[in-house]
Amino acid sequence: MLAVDIEKRLGDFAIKVAFESTGGVTALFGSSGSGKTSVVNMVAGLIKPDRGRIALDDQVLFDSHARVNMAAHRRRIGYVFQEGRLFPHLSVAANLDYGRRMSRLPRDEAEQRRIVELLDMGHLLDRRPGRLSGGERQRVAVGRALLMRPRLLLLDEPLASLDSARKREILPYLVRLRDEAKVPMVYVSHNPGELRRIAETVVWLDGGRVMKSGGLELLDQADLDAL
Amino acid sequence: MFDLTPDEWIAIRLSIRIAIVATAVALPFGIAVAWVLARKDFWGKSLLGGLVHLPLVLPPVVTGYLLLITFGRRGPAGAFLADNFGIVFSFRWTGAALACGVMAFPLLVRAIRLSFEAIDRRLEDAAGTLGASPFRVFLTITMPLALPGIIAGMVLCFAKALGEFGATITFVSNIPGETQTISAAIYTLTQVPGGDAAAFRLVVVAIVISLAALIASEWFARRAGMRYHGD
C-alpha cells in the first residue's frame, strides 16, 4: 500500500496532496499543470517534499518529522517516464538489464523471457534506442522498469508522446501488465478514455490539490466538465 | 635531407613522453574539476573556474615562474614532494610534464565540462530510479555519454602539451635529453647558424604528430558518437 501526504512549494505553485493506493492501478488524473508529475517525482524520490510523509507497505520513504528521506536508488520504485528516457549508448537488451544489474539482483532468465514476451520485444533486443519507434521505445521503458522487480510502478503519461494509432498499440500491453504482473501501479494521465481502460481507482488533482478521489465514475464527471 | 639525427629523435621521443604523461596525469583531475564546475553550486565556484583558466590568460613565463617558486627545489611544494616522495621537478622531464599539464589543463577542463553540461540529466534520474547509486550513475551513464568530449579534451591537452614552450623553458630550462622538447629544440636551432635544415625537419615532425592526434580524435569521437545512433 502506498500512503502519500505531502506539501511542496514550486515557485508560485503549491502542492498539498494526500491519498492512498491499496494495490491495483491508481490513476492520478488531472489537467496539465495540476501537479501530477511533481507528485510522482516525490514518490520516486527525485524531488524532496517540503513537509509530510510517504510510506510504501510498511516502509517509510519520506518523513519530514522523523527526518527520513530515502535516496531514489534505494526505493525500488519503477518509473516509466513520458519520454521513455532509454539510455542511448546501450542496446535494448542492456537497457532492460540495467535495473537488475544496478539493484544487484540475481539473473533470472525465465522472468526476463516472460517480460520480453509480454511486451513483445524479442526482435528489438540488439537494437539501439535511436532505432526504435516511439511505441517500441515506451514498451522497452516499461520492460526496463519491470525487470528491476519494483515494489511499485509509476507511469507518467506513458502514452502522451504517441499518436493515437500507437496509443491503441500499447494500451493492450499495459492492460496485460496490470492483469499478469501483479505490481501495484500509479498511472498519471489527463486522458479519461485511457484511464477507463486501465485504472481501478482515481485520484483527481486540480491546482496542486486532491479535488476528489474514488472509482472510475469520477471520470464520467470529468467528461461532463469538459463539455 | 630527411634523416633525423639521434639528438632530434631524443627531442621527439621526449616531447611525446612528456605530452602523454601530462595528459594522463591531468585527466582524472580534469574530469573531477569539470564535473564540479558543471554540476555543483558552491561558494567560490567562480574563483575555482578562474584559477583553472588562469594559465590560458597569463603570460606563459609567469606560469613557469610561479611553478619555479612553488615546485622548484626550494619551493614549498617542491621541497615537500622531494623529501617525502622523492619526486623532483626542477630541471627534470617530470617538471616539463608538470608545466605542460598545468598549461593544458584549462583546455582539458573546458572540453569535458561542456560535454557534462550537454548530458540530459533526466537520464541520470532514470538511472537512479533503476537502483544505481550516484557514483554508479556517473560510471555507467555520465562518463560514457561524455566520452566524445573527454576524448576531444585529451587531444587538445596532448597537442597543447606537445607544443608548450614558455612555461616549460622558464621552469625547467632547455637541457638536451632531459627537458629539451621539440619546441625548445626548434627554438635553439633557430638561434644558431646553419640550424635551418634541422629546425625544418622538426617543424615537419611537429605538424605530423599534431595532425595524427587530430585525426585519431576525430575517429574516436565518431565511433563514440555512433553508439548513440547506430545499431
Side-chain angles (χ1 to χ4, degrees), chain A:
Chain A
M1 189 184 84
L2 173 71
V4 176
D5 184 355
I6 42 177
E7 288 178 38
K8 174 79 181 173
R9 250 207 118 71
L10 294 162
D12 289 339
F13 188 61
I15 294 173
K16 188 174 180 351
V17 165
F19 68 91
E20 285 188 356
S21 151
T22 51
V25 179
T26 303
L28 267 189
F29 171 70
S31 55
S32 62
S34 58
K36 307 184 296 289
T37 297
S38 303
V39 170
V40 286
N41 279 339
M42 286 188 266
V43 173
L46 298 179
I47 352 179
K48 188 179 164 210
D50 296 334
R51 261 183 305 285
R53 191 170 188 278
I54 303 172
L56 180 59
D57 302 326
D58 41 17
Q59 188 174 42
V60 177
L61 304 180
F62 177 82
D63 189 330
S64 53
H65 283 298
R67 295 183 174 276
V68 176
N69 184 23
M70 190 187 272
H73 69 277
R74 296 188 204 282
R75 292 194 182 190
R76 293 282 302 277
I77 294 179
Y79 197 153
V80 178
F81 300 90
Q82 185 172 338
E83 344 78 68
R85 302 198 195 176
L86 301 181
F87 305 128
H89 58 301
L90 300 178
S91 68
V92 166
N95 265 282
L96 289 173
D97 204 34
Y98 187 86
R100 183 197 63 77
R101 270 173 52 219
M102 293 299 138
S103 310
R104 299 179 199 275
L105 300 172
R107 191 175 283 282
D108 183 345
E109 303 286 349
E111 170 73 358
Q112 176 133 3
R113 255 198 313 277
R114 193 177 72 84
I115 303 277
V116 166
E117 231 160 79
L118 178 74
L119 293 163
D120 204 359
M121 304 184 289
H123 57 297
L124 305 175
L125 293 178
D126 295 330
R127 289 203 212 162
R128 298 267 173 202
R131 294 276 170 93
L132 299 180
S133 72
E136 290 167 340
R137 214 170 289 158
Q138 285 309 76
R139 262 150 58 202
V140 174
V142 172
R144 183 177 71 171
L146 278 178
L147 279 167
M148 67 167 296
R149 298 180 159 271
R151 302 184 288 173
L152 170 73
L153 189 60
L154 306 171
L155 300 106
D156 183 14
E157 301 266 14
L159 307 183
S161 61
L162 307 176
D163 59 47
S164 51
R166 291 285 154 276
K167 276 183 192 159
R168 278 197 296 278
E169 170 196 320
I170 303 228
L171 211 45
Y173 289 111
L174 295 177
V175 172
R176 236 161 97 186
L177 187 72
R178 176 192 67 192
D179 299 337
E180 292 179 26
K182 309 275 182 245
V183 184
M185 297 190 231
V186 172
Y187 193 107
V188 171
S189 177
H190 64 276
N191 183 334
E194 194 179 315
L195 289 174
R196 260 192 209 98
R197 294 274 312 269
I198 187 135
E200 288 149 340
T201 54
V202 177
V203 176
W204 188 345
L205 293 188
D206 189 37
R209 311 256 160 171
V210 177
M211 209 162 84
K212 285 187 185 113
S213 55
L216 290 177
E217 69 280 355
L218 288 183
L219 298 170
D220 300 333
Q221 197 193 335
D223 285 340
L224 289 176
D225 287 359
L227 290 177

Side-chain angles (χ1 to χ4, degrees), chain B residues 36-63:
Chain B
V36 165
L37 288 176
R39 290 298 164 78
K40 294 288 164 191
D41 268 313
F42 54 93
W43 189 88
K45 179 174 170 173
S46 36
L47 185 68
L48 176 66
L51 276 176
V52 166
H53 285 94
L54 213 50
L56 207 58
V57 288
L58 276 181
V61 181
V62 172
T63 306

